């Protein structure tokens, strides 16, 4: 059975698509067969971050409406043979997605032997976001450590607990917290909420802390998920998150202010 993971948040611009691309690539790098789907109908950013935008012929809506087969629409990643991308439509309305159509696509992917299906949700609580989370087994809630992002994510948790297929069956979606753009120095000065603050408000276990880093934007501009840049702190942090998602124990890195060494104090830097 395929494990369906929704990457969601209440607020836009927190790094959902970056997270979806990195989680999918990280799982594929570990030998898993992975499909990642862009549910953000009308905008479509996942294919850009995955570096396959020029190879999009058919999209998710084409498959849902029967205008194309799933095989025609899936784009094989150039780096991992086991990773496939299903792009969103830029020209359709969000109402083009239906619950029945989405369920059919997810079932076909599961029947085709995919281990993981990562659903990149649009922000907020409109139809695309609802459909992205409805069939989920696990949810990665992406949050910036600021009050508005945390508050909006609390609303998403309410929907995960009440408006999903698992909730209707009396079960729970497994929920995890992933903090992005985390800066220990800003936490220290009180400009940013700490990991403990966010966990306490949302009642979630943290699966990853992604440090504030220019490497994230650089990777996106190059069409490469940042997890593939293992020289960067952000890439390493996403790799840690994937490991924890698969049940491994890893220490939480990049959460403390780096102490300056003796020579750095004397010579600067």
């Amino acid at each position: 059975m395929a494990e369906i993971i929704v990457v969601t948040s209440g607020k836009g611009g927190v790094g959902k698509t970056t997270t979806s691309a990195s989680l999918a690539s990280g799982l594929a790098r570990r030998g898993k067969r992975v499909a990642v789907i862009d549910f953000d109908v009308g905008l479509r950013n996942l294919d850009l971050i995955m570096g396959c935008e020029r190879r999009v012929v058919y999209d998710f809506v084409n498959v849902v409406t029967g205008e194309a087969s799933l095989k025609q629409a899936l784009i094989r990643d150039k780096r991992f043979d086991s990773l496939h991308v299903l792009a969103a439509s830029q020209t359709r309305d969000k109402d083009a997605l239906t619950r029945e159509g989405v369920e059919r696509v997810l079932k076909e992917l599961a029947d085709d032997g995919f281990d993981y299906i990562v659903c990149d949700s649009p922000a907020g609580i409109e139809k695309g976001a609802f459909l992205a989370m409805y069939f989920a087994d696990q949810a990665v809630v992406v949050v910036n450590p600021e009050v508005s992002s945390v508050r909006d994510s609390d609303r998403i948790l309410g929907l995960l607990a009440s408006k999903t297929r698992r909730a209707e069956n009396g079960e729970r979606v497994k929920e995890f917290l992933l903090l992005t753009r985390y800066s220990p120095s800003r936490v220290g000065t009180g400009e940013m909420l700490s990991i403990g603050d966010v966990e306490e408000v949302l009642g979630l276990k943290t699966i990853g802390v992604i440090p504030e880093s220019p490497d994230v934007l650089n990777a996106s501009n190059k069409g490469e998920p940042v997890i593939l840049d293992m020289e960067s702190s952000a890439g390493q942090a996403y790799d840690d998150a994937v490991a924890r998602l698969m049940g491994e124990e890893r220490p939480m890195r990049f959460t403390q202010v780096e102490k300056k060494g003796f020579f750095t104090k004397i010579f600067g830097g």
Side-chain angles (χ1 to χ4, degrees), residues 20 80-81 83 85 108-109 155 161 172 180 190 194:
S20 297
F80 303 104
D81 286 345
L83 176 59
V85 180
E108 195 173 337
L109 286 167
R155 181 84 186 274
R172 277 198 73 100
T180 53
S194 70

Side-chain angles (χ1 to χ4, degrees), residues 141 153-162 172 175 202-204:
V141 183
S153 293
D154 197 40
R155 181 84 186 274
I156 293 297
L157 292 178
L159 293 175
L160 285 167
S162 61
R172 277 198 73 100
E175 301 157 348
L202 297 179
L204 293 183

Side-chain angles (χ1 to χ4, degrees), residues 258-269:
E258 282 187 29
K259 292 179 181 177
K260 290 188 176 181
F262 176 73
F263 289 106
T264 309
K265 288 176 182 175
I266 293 175
F267 299 112

Side-chain angles (χ1 to χ4, degrees), residues 37-38 43 65 70 78 109 112 120 148 172 177 184 187 204 219 226 229 242 244-245 260-261:
I37 306 175
D38 191 345
L43 290 177
T65 57
L70 183 59
K78 288 181 177 178
L109 286 167
D112 200 24
D120 181 26
S148 62
R172 277 198 73 100
L177 171 66
V187 171
L204 293 183
V226 71
D229 179 7
V242 171
R244 294 188 196 101
L245 199 62
K260 290 188 176 181

Side-chain angles (χ1 to χ4, degrees), residues 112-132:
D112 200 24
F114 281 89
D115 300 307
Y116 289 93
I117 302 167
V118 179
C119 302
D120 181 26
S121 172
I125 54 172
E126 43 80 18
K127 188 176 182 182
F130 167 72
L131 288 173

Side-chain angles (χ1 to χ4, degrees), residues 5-8 15-30 32 34-36 46 49-50 80 83 116-120 138-142 176 178 207-208 210 225-228 235 237-246:
I5 302 171
V6 63
V7 179
T8 184
K16 279 186 307 301
T17 302
T18 294
T19 298
S20 297
S22 284
L23 292 183
S25 298
L27 289 165
R29 185 162 62 190
R30 288 164 170 266
K32 300 300 181 183
V34 186
V36 56
L46 178 66
I49 290 180
M50 295 297 294
F80 303 104
L83 176 59
Y116 289 93
I117 302 167
V118 179
C119 302
D120 181 26
Q138 302 183 41
V140 175
V141 183
V142 183
F176 302 103
L178 188 130
I207 199 170
I210 314 303
V226 71
I227 194 171
L228 302 181
Y238 270 119
D239 189 62
D240 287 346
V242 171
R244 294 188 196 101
L245 199 62
M246 295 183 71

